[in-house]
Amino acid sequence: MGSPCKLHLYLTQKQANTVPQAALDCVFALEKKYSRYQSDSITSIINRSAGSGQCVRVDSETAALLDYANDAFEQSDGLFDITSGVLRKIWDFKSGILPSQETINQTLTLIGWQKIRWHNPYIELPEDMELDFGGYVKEYAADTLATFCMDNGVTHGLIDLGGDIRVIGPHLDGKPWKIGIRNPDNPEKALAHVESTGGGVATSGNYERCMVVDGHRYGHVFNPLTGWPVQGLASVTVQAEHCLIAGTLSTITMLKGRPGGGEWLQDMGLPNLIIEEP
Amino acid sequence: MAKKRHQNAALLTLVTSAFSLPGISAKAEGVPDSTSVKYRYTSYVEDNAPERFTVEGDLGRYKIQANQIQLVQPVGERASITFDYLSETMSGASPWGVKQGADNQPELIMSGASIKEERQDVAVRLKVYDKESSVSFMGGHSTENDYKAVYGGLENELHFNQKNTTVKSGLKVSIDRINPTQEEGQSRVSEEEKNSTSYSIGLAQVLNPSAIVQVGLEYAQLSGYLTDPYKLQDSRPDIRKQTIASLGYRQFITSTDSAFHLDYRSYTDDWKVKSHTINVAWYQNFGSRHVIVPSIRLYSQKKAKFYGVYFEGGEATEYFSSDYRLSSYEAMSYKLKYIKYFDTWSFTVAGERYESEGSSGEIENPALVSFTRWTVGFDIKFD
Amino acid sequence: MRCCLKIRSEYFFSIRFYGGVIILLSLSGLTGCASVEPWEKGMLAKPEMGWTPDPIEAAMESHIFFSKEGSSGGNVSGGGGCGCN
C-alpha cells in the first residue's frame, strides 16, 4: 500500500492537456529510480554491489542526493543516516517481541554513513550494508514536481505526496491553502491547520506503527546510533521554502527526541509544530 | 524570517546542498532548454545602375551571397552561449561618384565590375539568466581585405512587476580599421581608423494578455575616419552623433490566430540626417505547422547638411559628399516569408523587394539602390 | 495507552496516486490591463509575439539596411561594421 498522493493544480486548457500526465510521469520516474523494490533501480544496483569491492558510478542527480545525505548526516551528528534502513529487519512490530541487544549490536555494525566510501561520483558499500533513499526522496519528489509545474507556467497549486506537501502558489483568488496536521491520537482528525501560499510542509510522526511491550511504547523511527526507537516526540511538522528541507528538519528533530529536538529546531527559526509524547 | 534562517549554519548547509539538486533549482525563464542550430542562405541582388545616367564604369551593381550559421548551446541551468558565423561574397560594381552633366542632369560614375570581396563575421555571446534578470556579454570581429572591425557589447535586462515590466540597457563598442584597396589614378587613404560607441535603454510593458509595447532610446557616437574612401569626392566630419528613438508593439489576435507587429524608428544625427522607419508585419498561423508573414517597410530620409548630388572642381566647403546614402529619399520594401514547422526542425523561405526614389523637389541621386533578396534556411533543435 | 494505529503509509518511499484533483480554468475572454498574471501570458509567450522572432534573419536585414541607408540603429546588433559600398 502506498501513501495517498494528490495534485491540486489550477491549469489553463492548454496546460491541462500536458502537465498532469507529464507530472505523474516525473514522479513515477523518481520512484522507479530510487525504489528498493525495483531490481533495476539505482538503489538496488548500489546495494547489490555492497562488499564486492567494486564501486558504482552514479548520475549527477543521485550524486547530489548523496551529497545532501552526507551534509544532513554531519549536521545531525549522525542521526540522519541513509544506511539505517536495516533496522527494520530486526524490529518486527507484528510479533510484539523486542529484538535482543545482541541482535541490535550486530545490526549496528552495518549502519553508519561514515563507513561508506563516497567520492562523487563513485560510491562503494561494505558487505551487507544498504542504502535507503526512502527517508527523503518523497520530499525531494514533491519539490521536483513543483519545479516542473512552475517551469510549465503553473502558478497556483498544491502537491501532496503522502503528507509531504509542497505549495506552488495560493488558490486562484490568492487565499492560502489550509493544511491539516494529524492528531497522533486520532490521525483521521486534524489537530491544527497551517496556512501556506508557497513552500514546503513536512511532518515526521512516530505513531503510524508501533508496538507496546510491557507497557512501553516502541515507535517505528529508529536512532541509528543506538538501534532503538526514539522517544519523546509524537510528531514534528516543519514549514520551509522546500519540502526536502522541511522533511529533513522534521526527521532530525524527531530523531533527537526529547529533550534536545525541540530546542535544536527552534534555532532554525522556521515555523513548526511539535507534538510531544505523553 | 529569511535573515534568521541564515544565522543557522546547519540550515544554511542543507539549503545550499539542496540547491545543487536538479529538481530544486528552478530553471530561470528564457534559458534555452536544448542545443539548436540555425542556417540561412541569402542571395541579395541590386538592380543595374540606370543606363541613361551612367557615363563610366559597369552597370551591374552588387550581388551578395551570404551563409549564416548560428549555434545556441545551453550551459548549465542558467546560461546559454551563442555562436554566430557569417560568410558573404560580394561582386559587382559600386557607385564612385556623381558629376554634373548637360542640363544639370546628374551623371553617374560607376566602378569597374572587377570588385570581388569576401567578408567573414564571427561573434560569441554569453547570456546569463537569473529569476528576475539577465546579462549578456558579446564579442566578435568582422574581416574583409580592406576593412576589419572588432566589436563587443554588454546587455542587461531587469524584470519587475511580475515580469510585466522589463527594463533593458545596452552598451556596444566597435573599433574599425580601414585599409582601402588602391586604384591607379586615384588617391586613396592607406590606413584609417574609426570607432563607435552606443548606449541604449529600453522599457517593455505588458499591456494585457495579448499585447505588449516597447520604447527605446539609443545614443551612438562615431568618431575617426567617417569619409568613404572609395568615393571620388567625399569629405565628412570625423565625428557623428546619432540619436535613435524606437517604439514596438505586438498584438495577438485570437480569432484569426495571428500576431500583428508594428515597429517605428526615428533617427536624427548632427550631420542633419533625419529618418523615419515604419515596419508592419502580420504573422498568420495556419494550424500549428505553417506560418505566412507578409510585411511592409517604409523608410524616409532627409539629406545630410553637406550632401550635394554633385560637386564641381575645387570645393569651397570643408565637407561634401554625393553619396546616395546621404541624400533625401524614400524607400519601400515588401517582404513575404513562409515558415514550415516539423517536429524537431523548421524550414524558412523569405523574399523581399526594396525600391527607393529621391524625395520630391530634389534631384534624384542616380545611385539610389533597389534590390531583391531571397533567404532560405532551417532551424534544428536537438533534445 | 494510545497506540498502534492503522498503517497508513509505509516508512519507505512508495507512492500511489488516486483521486488526483485537477481544477481546470479556462482563460478565454480575459481582459484588463492593470496587471497580467503569469498564467495569463500564454499568448505573449508565443514565438511570433517576440520582438525579434527570427534573430538571424533580422541580423542580415539590419546589416543590409545599415550598409545601404543613411541611418541605422535601434534594433538588434547585426554584427560588425563593414566597408560596404
Side-chain angles (χ1 to χ4, degrees), chain B residues 3-179:
Chain B
K3 267 186 186 165
K4 198 170 175 188
R5 187 169 66 213
H6 288 278
Q7 286 168 1
N8 189 291
L11 183 56
L12 185 59
T13 304
L14 292 177
V15 170
T16 310
S17 186
F19 269 110
S20 54
L21 283 157
I24 283 188
S25 62
K27 203 162 203 165
E29 203 170 309
V31 188
D33 50 13
S34 58
T35 305
S36 66
V37 173
K38 293 174 184 175
Y39 168 78
R40 296 287 184 277
Y41 167 79
T42 296
S43 155
Y44 164 96
V45 179
E46 292 178 356
D47 291 8
N48 279 355
E51 200 172 350
R52 67 190 180 105
F53 294 120
T54 308
V55 291
E56 275 182 64
D58 214 283
L59 295 180
R61 290 185 67 169
Y62 256 38
K63 288 183 172 60
I64 302 173
Q65 295 189 315
N67 291 289
Q68 290 169 282
I69 297 171
Q70 183 179 69
L71 171 74
V72 180
Q73 173 69 47
V75 183
E77 295 285 311
R78 290 181 185 278
S80 68
I81 192 156
T82 305
F83 297 94
D84 273 293
Y85 174 75
L86 161 81
S87 158
E88 60 182 358
T89 313
M90 298 153 268
S91 60
S94 69
W96 268 353
V98 183
K99 68 177 185 185
Q100 189 170 11
D103 307 329
N104 287 343
Q105 281 284 359
E107 290 183 340
L108 181 60
I109 301 160
M110 295 289 292
S111 70
S114 58
I115 297 176
K116 186 154 177 119
E117 274 198 287
E118 277 186 30
R119 187 174 82 92
Q120 302 206 321
D121 197 320
V122 183
V124 184
R125 173 186 294 265
L126 173 72
K127 189 164 183 179
V128 182
Y129 301 80
D130 208 337
K131 286 202 163 168
E132 305 293 337
S133 64
S134 73
V135 186
S136 38
F137 308 89
M138 184 264 290
H141 76 97
S142 168
T143 330
E144 292 165 75
N145 67 335
D146 60 347
Y147 200 99
K148 282 184 178 42
V150 180
Y151 56 95
L154 200 64
E155 274 166 38
N156 182 238
E157 277 190 350
L158 297 171
H159 307 291
F160 300 97
N161 179 24
Q162 287 196 299
K163 291 195 176 159
N164 285 316
T165 309
T166 300
V167 175
K168 307 170 186 189
S169 54
L171 167 71
K172 196 181 163 189
V173 176
S174 181
I175 299 167
D176 300 11
R177 192 169 289 277
I178 310 154
N179 297 92

Side-chain angles (χ1 to χ4, degrees), chain B residues 254-314:
Chain B
T254 317
S255 58
T256 54
D257 197 9
S258 40
F260 169 73
H261 287 209
L262 172 69
D263 291 283
Y264 167 74
R265 179 185 73 181
S266 166
Y267 169 99
T268 169
D269 67 25
D270 63 345
W271 291 2
K272 295 272 164 55
V273 175
K274 281 186 174 51
S275 77
H276 299 278
T277 313
I278 294 175
N279 199 86
V280 178
W282 184 270
Y283 284 68
Q284 182 60 53
N285 292 309
F286 294 94
S288 59
R289 299 263 172 181
H290 307 269
V291 188
I292 290 181
V293 193
S295 65
I296 185 164
R297 180 180 183 273
L298 303 173
Y299 180 80
S300 160
Q301 176 178 308
K302 285 264 180 306
K303 65 186 177 187
K305 60 185 175 188
F306 51 84
Y307 167 83
V309 66
Y310 38 66
F311 292 95
E312 279 308 302

Side-chain angles (χ1 to χ4, degrees), chain A residues 104-119:
Chain A
I104 291 174
N105 289 345
Q106 270 173 11
T107 308
L108 285 179
T109 63
L110 304 176
I111 296 173
W113 170 255
Q114 74 282 3
K115 296 170 191 165
I116 306 266
R117 263 177 239 129
W118 165 234
H119 297 290

